[in-house]
Amino acid sequence: MKHELVKLPYAQDALAPIISPATIGYHHGKHLQNYVNTLNTLIEGTEYADMNLEEIVAKSEGPIFNNAGQTLNHNLYFLQFAPNAGGKPVGALLQAIEAVWGSFEKFQEEFQTAATKLFGSGWAWLYKDKAGKLAIGQYPNAGNPVKDGFTPLLGIDVWEHAYYLDFQNRRADHLKDVWQIVDWEEVARRFA
């Protein structure tokens, strides 16, 4: 199975000023494309050649895992945003968040803290565990809740390439602003 660069459901400039067209062009068009190309090269002729991304992430190690994990992570990342989005979720997702954190605002605070305090490069994830309970996790490098058998719902890339052109070294400022473009309908679809 040949993996393809995920198509953006919005124009390259649609998330500005939170994520600029230059960052989208570099992050999606070059950085993610390189992960996809490298993954395809690495899995050719291996047991992973016909697996989907989730299967590869769950079963692989080393360079294959790194490139599959980053491909999956970035696919989820880019598809969870929309122009004029933000706000907060509704329905079952909001109820599940409130059941764990007491309020959406408390969840945001804890998620932002986890993402800000993740040392070095990696991802902060809102995920659903095997029992269906929500949790926040810090995953270094190409890490993803799929590797633990969980369902990723919302992932924020804290590698500097995700925000450096727009925010330089101000990770916390980027994380504060990114809530304005989260497409909660997409996150709720993953939750369901």
Side-chain angles (χ1 to χ4, degrees):
M1 164 184 308
K2 183 172 167 73
H3 299 278
E4 303 286 337
L5 180 68
V6 68
K7 295 192 183 327
L8 298 176
Y10 43 79
Q12 195 164 321
D13 64 352
L15 303 180
I18 312 312
I19 303 176
S20 70
T23 295
I24 293 283
Y26 171 72
H27 194 183
H28 175 266
K30 297 191 183 326
H31 200 82
L32 176 53
Q33 183 68 70
N34 186 57
Y35 285 130
V36 172
N37 293 346
T38 303
L39 175 63
N40 284 325
T41 299
L42 291 172
I43 64 172
E44 190 173 319
T46 72
E47 64 183 291
Y48 303 106
D50 294 322
M51 291 182 187
N52 67 37
L53 279 174
E54 289 82 2
E55 292 172 309
I56 298 171
V57 168
K59 297 176 181 178
S60 66
E61 300 290 336
I64 290 177
F65 169 75
N66 289 336
N67 285 278
Q70 286 293 63
T71 299
L72 177 60
N73 291 352
H74 283 89
N75 288 354
L76 294 168
Y77 175 81
F78 285 113
L79 296 178
Q80 73 190 2
F81 296 132
N84 305 312
K88 65 183 188 178
V90 297
L93 177 58
L94 179 59
Q95 291 171 358
I97 287 171
E98 290 172 340
V100 175
W101 290 282
S103 71
F104 178 70
E105 293 74 21
K106 182 68 173 161
F107 154 72
Q108 279 185 302
E109 179 184 315
E110 289 194 26
F111 189 96
Q112 188 152 332
T113 297
T116 302
K117 291 188 175 186
L118 178 62
F119 181 78
S121 299
W123 295 79
W125 287 99
L126 169 66
Y127 64 86
K128 181 171 61 171
D129 70 15
K130 293 175 184 176
K133 185 177 179 189
L134 297 183
I136 295 169
Q138 295 174 312
Y139 285 79
N141 302 316
N144 183 297
V146 169
K147 191 74 171 170
D148 299 323
F150 304 146
T151 303
L153 304 177
L154 171 73
I156 300 298
D157 189 345
V158 297
W159 289 65
E160 286 188 338
H161 63 246
Y163 59 87
Y164 202 84
L165 293 178
D166 305 321
F167 290 86
Q168 289 78 48
N169 64 341
R170 299 183 330 271
R171 179 191 287 186
D173 291 343
H174 168 67
L175 294 168
K176 179 178 58 74
D177 288 354
V178 81
W179 295 109
Q180 297 173 49
I181 56 172
V182 172
D183 180 355
W184 288 109
E185 288 182 18
E186 173 61 19
V187 177
R189 187 192 62 72
R190 296 172 188 175
F191 175 68

